[in-house]
DNA sequence: GCCCCTGGGGCTTGTTACTGT
DNA sequence: CACAGTAACAAGCCCCAGGGG
C-alpha cells in the first residue's frame, strides 16, 4: 500500500481541493502545521516554548494540536536532541521490602524530574546476567544506569564495565581502592543509608539495657549492607570492651534465621542478639518459641529494616527502620547531579524532558559520588529488655 | 561548532586523503559502511540478518561494527520501524510480595521476548495519578500497557481511558458489563490467578478438618482479589450447608489482621478463620498469642499467598500459595497474544525486536482476553487442626 | 534471462541554523 | 527587532533499480 495519504511537503503547485487529506495514522508536526496554516518549524517553536511566535499564531497552533490530538514522537525527538530522556534501572535479586521500596521511590523521583525509567529486573544476580542487563540498557541509550542490589559482586561487576554512561549504585560500603586495570575510570557513584550507624544504634541499645554477651546474625557474605551492619555491631561491642564473638551467618531469609536461632539457643551465655534483618529475626523468634526460650526474658532480639509486619511479630520486634523511599529519591538526585542537571527543578509541566548541559561527561571526570548520609532510626518494641540478673 | 566531522554521503569527487575523518561522537551506520567499504544499506541488511549479503561482505561489516563499537540507535530504529519495542508497566500501590514478584516475572518475560519495559510505579492509586501514568506511557509510544494493581477502581479507571494501545491488567474478577459510555471499546484484557479456587481450597481444608464455624477476614473492599477470595469462602461454606457469617474487613496489613483477631477472639463460636492474606494472618496470630488463645487448638488459621516468612510464623502458617512469577509471565504472553506476535519465539539473539503484524489492532476488535486458569496450591502447616471436641 | 548481491534514493518526525520580510 | 519560513541534519528502514555471473 504505497502512499499512506501523507503529503510530505505540499508542493507549491495547484492544490487539488480543500480537503486537506486527513492523515490516517498518528499525526505529525506537518499535519499540525498544515492545519494551523504555518510551517512545521513554527509548530516546533510552539511545542518547545520558544520565543518568537505571535500570540495569535501560537493559539492557532495549539488549537490544531488539540484538534488532531497530536503528541510529538519521542523517537524523533530523541534522535534530533540526541538524548533519550530515560534512565535504566537494574533491580537484581529477590524483590524484598527494601529494594522494592527503594525502586519505587526512585521511579517516582525520576518521573518528577521528567525522566522515563527503563527497568531491567532480574531474579538472579550472576555476573553474566548483570553484564547483559547493563549492555541492554546501554543499547537503549539510557542516560544513566541505576543499580539496586546489595550484592557486592553486583556492584563490582558493574564497576568493571565501561558502560559509557554514568552508573549510580546503592552500595553501603565505601568503594574499594581502584584496581590498576580500571585506570582512570572511576567506579559507580554510591548512595546508601548508613548501615553502620544503624547497626551501632541496635547494638548500643542492647548494651544500654545491660547486655554483655550480644551475638550477631549476619546477612549473606556477599551483601554490603550485611557487612556494614556486622562492622557496626563489632565496633560497638569492642568500644564497650565486650567480646566480639563470631557471628552466625544467615542469608536474609527466615529459614536461615531459624537455623541461627537454634544455634543461639545452644549458647548458654548469649542474652541478646542483633539480627541483620527482620525476616531472619522472625526465624530466630520461631526457634525460640519452639524451644521454649522466652523473648525477651531469656533472649533479647533486635532486627533491621522495620518491615510492616515487624510490629506484629510475637513479641513485637524491636528493630531499625530505614527510609527506603528516601533512599530511592537520593539515588535520583545523585543521578541528576552526575548528569549535571541543575537543582531539583521537577519538570512539573507536560513532562518536558529537562534540558541539561553534559557537565560531568561520561562517568565523571571528578571522583565518584559517595553519599551515606541518611541515618536509620531505632524502633523499640517488645523483643528487648534488660537481661535477667 | 559546525560540522562535527561527519561526512554524510561521501561525494563522488576526489577523496582528500586516506584519513577517513574519525567520527567523534557515537558511530552511525554510515561510519560502519565507510569503514567496511560498502553502502549503509548493506550494513542495515547485516544488522537485520537479512539475506542477500555475501559471507565475506558480512564479515567485513561485522568487523567494522566491532572496531567502531557501533550499536544502532534505538530512536532511529523506532522511528523508521514505527515501533518503540517497549511496553509500559504500571505498578500501583504498596510494593507487596505479590505485585513485586508478578512485576519481576513480567519484566523477565518481556526481556526474553525482546521488549523493553518502561516502568511507571506509584504508591498511590487514585484516579488522577493513574490516568496520568497511562497518558505518560502513551506519549512514550509504548505498544501496550500492563497494569498490576489489585484495586478494582484502578482497573476501572484504566478501562475508561481510550489509550489507543492494548491494556492488560491483572484482575481476578471478571469484567463488569460494559457501560454504554464505553460503547464498542472493550475493557482491558484480564489475567489472574484463580483467587476463587484458592479460597475454596482453604475453606474446604478447614471444613474437611471438621470445622463448621469458619469466619473470614477479607482484604480491602476495593480489591478484586479480596472479593474473589471472599466469594470462594462464602460459596464453599454455603455448599456445605454452613452458616456464612459476616466477614471481618481488613486492609491487607498486619495491623488490620490484629484488630480482626481481637474481634474473632470475642466470638465464642468460631473455631477457624480463613484470612485473606498472610500479613493479616500474622496479625491474627499476634492477637491470639496476646489473648492466650491457642493456635490451632482453639482456633485454626489459614492465610493466603505463602510469603516466604509464612513458614516461620508461630506456629507455621497453613496458607495458599500463588505463583506470582508465572502470573507475570502469563501477563506477558497475553500481551504478545494481543499484539499478534506469533508464538513464544523468545528473541534469544541480540535483542532483536520481534517483528509482528498488527493482528488485533488497537484494543482488540475481538473481545478482551480473560485468563484465570492458574490455580493456587494449599500448603498445610501448623496453624490448622481439627476443632476440639 | 534469472539469481545473487549491492547501492541509490526516499521516508520516518523532529530540531537547529540560517534567511527573509 | 519581531516573526515566520527554508534547508540541512539526526540515524535508521524499505522499495526498487541495476551490475555481475
Amino acid at each position: 500500500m504505497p502512499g499512506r495519504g501523507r503529503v510530505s511537503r505540499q508542493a507549491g503547485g495547484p492544490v487539488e481541493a480543500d480537503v486537506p487529506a486527513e492523515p490516517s495514522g498518528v499525526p505529525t508536526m506537518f499535519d499540525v502545521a498544515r492545519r494551523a496554516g504555518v510551517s512545521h518549524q513554527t509548530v516546533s517553536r510552539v511545542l518547545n516554548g520558544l520565543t518568537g511566535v505571535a500570540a495569535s499564531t501560537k493559539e492557532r497552533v495549539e488549537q490544531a494540536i488539540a484538534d488532531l490530538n497530536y503528541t510529538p514522537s519521542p523517537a524523533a525527538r530523541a534522535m534530533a536532541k540526541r538524548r533519550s530522556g530515560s534512565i535504566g534501572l537494574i533491580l537484581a535479586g529477590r524483590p524484598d521490602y527494601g529494594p522494592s521500596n527503594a525502586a519505587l521511590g526512585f521511579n517516582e523521583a525520576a518521573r518528577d524530574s521528567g525522566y522515563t525509567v527503563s527497568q531491567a529486573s532480574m531474579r538472579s544476580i550472576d555476573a553474566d546476567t548483570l553484564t547483559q542487563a547493563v549492555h541492554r540498557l546501554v543499547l537503549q541509550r539510557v542516560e544513566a544506569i541505576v543499580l539496586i542490589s546489595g550484592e557486592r559482586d553486583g556492584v563490582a561487576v558493574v564497576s568493571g564495565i565501561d558502560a559509557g554512561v554514568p552508573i549510580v549504585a546503592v552500595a553501603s560500603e565505601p568503594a574499594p581502592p581502584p584496581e590498576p586495570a580500571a585506570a582512570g575510570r572511576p567506579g559507580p557513584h554510591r548512595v546508601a543509608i548508613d548501615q553502620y550507624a544503624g547497626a551501632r544504634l541496635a547494638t548500643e541499645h542492647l548494651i544500654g539495657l545491660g547486655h554483655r554477651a550480644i551475638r550477631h546474625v549476619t546477612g549473606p557474605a556477599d551483601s554490603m549492607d550485611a557487612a556494614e551492619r556486622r562492622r557496626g555491631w563489632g565496633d560497638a561491642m569492642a568500644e564497650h570492651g565486650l567480646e566480639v564473638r563470631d557471628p552466625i551467618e544467615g542469608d536474609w531469609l527466615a529459614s536461615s534465621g531459624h537455623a541461627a536461632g537454634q544455634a543461639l539457643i545452644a549458647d548458654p551465655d548469649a542474652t541478646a542478639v542483633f539480627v541483620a534483618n527482620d525476616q531472619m529475626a522472625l526465624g530466630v523468634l520461631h526457634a525460640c518459641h519452639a524451644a521454649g526460650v522466652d523473648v525477651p526474658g531469656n533472649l533479647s532480639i533486635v532486627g533491621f529494616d522495620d518491615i510492616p509486619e515487624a510490629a506484629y511479630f510475637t513479641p513485637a520486634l524491636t528493630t531499625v527502620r530505614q527510609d527506603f523511599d528516601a533512599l530511592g529519591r537520593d539515588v535520583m538526585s545523585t543521578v541528576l547531579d552526575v548528569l549535571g542537571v541543575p537543582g531539583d527543578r521537577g519538570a512539573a509541566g507536560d513532562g518536558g524532558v529537562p534540558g541539561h548541559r553534559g557537565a560531568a561527561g561520561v562517568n565523571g571526570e571528578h571522583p565518584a559520588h559517595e553519599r551515606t548520609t541518611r541515618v536509620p532510626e531505632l524502633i523499640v518494641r517488645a523483643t528487648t529488655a534488660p537481661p535477667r540478673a
Side-chain angles (χ1 to χ4, degrees), chain A:
Chain A
M1 51 171 103
R4 284 170 60 262
R6 167 118 351 122
V7 182
S8 48
R9 239 170 292 265
Q10 184 134 359
V15 183
E16 39 271 69
D18 261 359
V19 232
E22 265 306 306
S24 49
V26 181
T28 77
M29 270 176 67
F30 288 90
D31 300 319
V32 173
R34 188 147 26 86
R35 191 172 232 270
V38 296
S39 80
H40 75 280
Q41 158 58 0
T42 302
V43 176
S44 171
R45 270 193 283 255
V46 171
L47 284 171
N48 294 32
L50 298 183
T51 62
V53 182
S56 63
T57 309
K58 184 177 171 201
E59 210 162 295
R60 252 186 312 144
V61 171
E62 277 165 349
Q63 187 56 52
I65 288 174
D67 290 349
L68 295 175
N69 224 312
Y70 163 82
T71 60
S73 149
R77 176 169 270 180
M79 191 156 83
K81 279 210 144 110
R82 281 102 158 254
R83 295 192 52 232
S84 66
S86 87
I87 294 173
L89 170 62
I90 299 178
L91 194 58
R94 238 178 292 114
D96 285 330
Y97 178 74
S100 295
N101 277 282
L104 175 53
F106 168 75
N107 219 299
E108 293 192 316
R111 162 166 61 262
D112 290 346
S113 300
Y115 280 92
T116 271
V117 175
S118 185
Q119 187 147 351
S121 299
M122 43 203 242
R123 206 170 286 278
S124 67
I125 49 153
D126 61 289
D128 269 9
T129 321
L130 209 47
T131 306
Q132 292 227 347
V134 171
H135 282 139
R136 241 188 311 266
L137 291 174
V138 169
L139 291 191
Q140 289 176 45
R141 302 287 199 269
V142 296
E143 297 179 24
I145 293 178
V146 167
L147 172 66
I148 298 183
S149 151
E151 314 294 324
R152 187 180 301 113
D153 287 355
V155 176
V157 164
V158 164
S159 304
I161 303 174
D162 189 6
V165 295
I167 297 181
V168 176
V170 170
S172 50
E173 278 180 348
E179 296 187 20
R185 178 153 43 74
H189 305 271
R190 292 166 174 251
V191 183
I193 296 172
D194 193 338
Q195 305 296 315
Y196 177 82
R200 291 198 63 126
L201 233 47
T203 310
E204 278 157 7
H205 166 62
L206 291 169
I207 293 172
L209 287 171
H211 291 278
R212 304 191 56 79
I214 305 169
R215 305 285 309 258
H216 177 47
V217 178
T218 71
D222 189 33
S223 159
M224 293 186 285
D225 287 354
E228 286 296 289
R229 289 173 202 173
R230 172 181 175 165
R231 195 166 63 86
W233 162 77
D235 284 5
M237 293 295 280
E239 279 175 29
H240 288 266
L242 301 175
E243 186 191 2
V244 182
R245 301 270 309 273
D246 273 350
I248 303 168
E249 186 175 328
D251 65 2
W252 290 147
L253 289 172
S255 51
S256 74
H258 185 241
Q262 290 171 325
L264 279 168
I265 291 163
D267 177 350
D269 299 329
T271 65
V273 58
F274 165 46
V275 186
N277 80 347
D278 290 351
Q279 282 86 352
M280 292 194 297
L282 179 67
V284 172
L285 234 25
H286 191 80
C288 289
H289 278 287
V293 173
D294 182 47
V295 175
N298 296 328
L299 186 71
S300 281
I301 302 178
V302 181
F304 211 102
D305 282 350
D306 194 29
I307 63 176
E309 291 78 38
Y312 296 91
F313 288 1
T314 303
L317 185 69
T318 293
T319 186
V320 178
R321 179 181 296 165
Q322 313 196 61
D323 190 343
F324 291 107
D325 201 77
L327 173 61
R329 292 196 303 271
D330 284 352
V331 167
M332 185 60 207
S333 84
T334 301
V335 167
L336 291 179
D337 237 41
V338 171
L339 290 178
V341 178
D344 249 14
R345 47 152 311 195
D350 263 350
V353 174
H356 83 285
R357 53 286 159 88
V362 183
N363 207 350
E365 276 75 55
H366 48 222
H369 283 241
E370 290 211 17
R371 273 195 203 175
T372 317
T373 52
R374 214 168 278 278
V375 171
E377 179 190 0
L378 180 72
I379 307 289
V380 178
R381 296 205 182 92
T383 51
T384 48
R388 280 203 183 134

